Amino acid sequence: MSQEAKFQETLRKLAMIHEGFVQDKARLGLDLTKTSALDSKMAALLVLGVAVAIGSSSFCLRWSVSRALAAGAGEEEITDVLLVIAPVAGLGPVVCAAPDLAATLGYDVEAALYDADGP
């Protein structure tokens, strides 16, 4: 693999949060099932809350939502994470994350903002 192809592959795998690559190359464990005291759904919801609170990128937020859904979290539980962390994290990170979370859940919140007949 050429030097150019290698750095491109690294960037692609990081952007998509390729779990095997991140674990092997960056030595970051992303396997939430190894948490001893928390079930995988609770761990995934906590990861989502932290990702929102620290202002993570859209890719990280979408990955976190996908992981929470895969662990059995419902859409209401995912959106409740925003309400629970807002008093501590502040409204800014929560508002910034809402469109990305909505998009991952299949809801175009930005379009709804411009729809006069929206909920």
Side-chain angles (χ1 to χ4, degrees), residues 1-12:
M1 180 179 292
S2 74
Q3 199 67 351
E4 182 175 338
K6 187 174 180 180
F7 89 80
Q8 291 172 347
E9 180 72 2
T10 297
L11 292 173
R12 184 182 69 78

Side-chain angles (χ1 to χ4, degrees), residues 111-119:
L113 292 173
Y114 297 106
D115 181 11
D117 297 326

Side-chain angles (χ1 to χ4, degrees), residues 53-107:
I54 66 172
S56 293
S57 71
S58 295
F59 290 111
C60 288
L61 293 173
R62 291 177 180 170
W63 173 82
S64 297
V65 170
S66 297
R67 290 294 299 262
L69 290 169
E75 293 171 343
E76 189 171 344
E77 291 171 305
I78 289 169
T79 55
D80 278 354
V81 166
L82 297 177
L83 299 175
V84 169
I85 69 164
V88 177
L91 193 56
V94 170
V95 170
C96 288
D100 288 319
L101 271 65
T104 306
L105 296 173
Y107 176 57

Side-chain angles (χ1 to χ4, degrees), residues 4-52:
E4 182 175 338
K6 187 174 180 180
F7 89 80
Q8 291 172 347
E9 180 72 2
T10 297
L11 292 173
R12 184 182 69 78
K13 287 184 175 182
L14 286 172
M16 65 185 276
I17 310 177
H18 185 284
E19 293 179 30
F21 179 81
V22 171
Q23 186 170 334
D24 291 343
K25 300 296 184 184
R27 295 182 180 89
L28 294 173
L30 300 176
D31 186 1
L32 301 178
T33 61
K34 292 184 177 180
T35 305
S36 60
L38 301 174
D39 64 35
S40 59
K41 180 172 84 170
M42 182 58 67
L45 290 169
L46 286 170
V47 167
L48 174 59
V50 170
V52 171

